[in-house]
Amino acid sequence: MPLTRAGALWTALIAGFLVLIVLLVFVTQNTAPVDLAFLTWTWSLPAGVAILLAAICGGLLTALVGTARIFQLRRAAKKNLAAQR
């Protein structure tokens, strides 16, 4: 049975909430402070928060690179389409 758009949205919403609950449990269980250093900056954060921030930054970087690649492929497709005419 195919899933409708509303059904897919509802499924994604529930899955998103489950992931958020798991992340909340992870962060609350990893509260020991860790010292972080980058170049000349140093700071202390709870371990769960530090790992969560690293994952978020990695995801944003991946999305940025993916977006740039999509624009590059669209531009190449438009050039090919124009050349074929």
Side-chain angles (χ1 to χ4, degrees), residues 59-73:
L60 289 174
L61 184 62
T62 301
L64 181 67
V65 170
T67 301
R69 181 66 177 149
I70 288 170
F71 282 129
Q72 184 183 33
L73 290 172

Side-chain angles (χ1 to χ4, degrees), residues 22-35:
V22 169
L23 285 174
L24 179 64
V25 170
F26 174 79
V27 169
T28 56
Q29 288 182 344
N30 292 286
T31 57
V34 293
D35 294 327

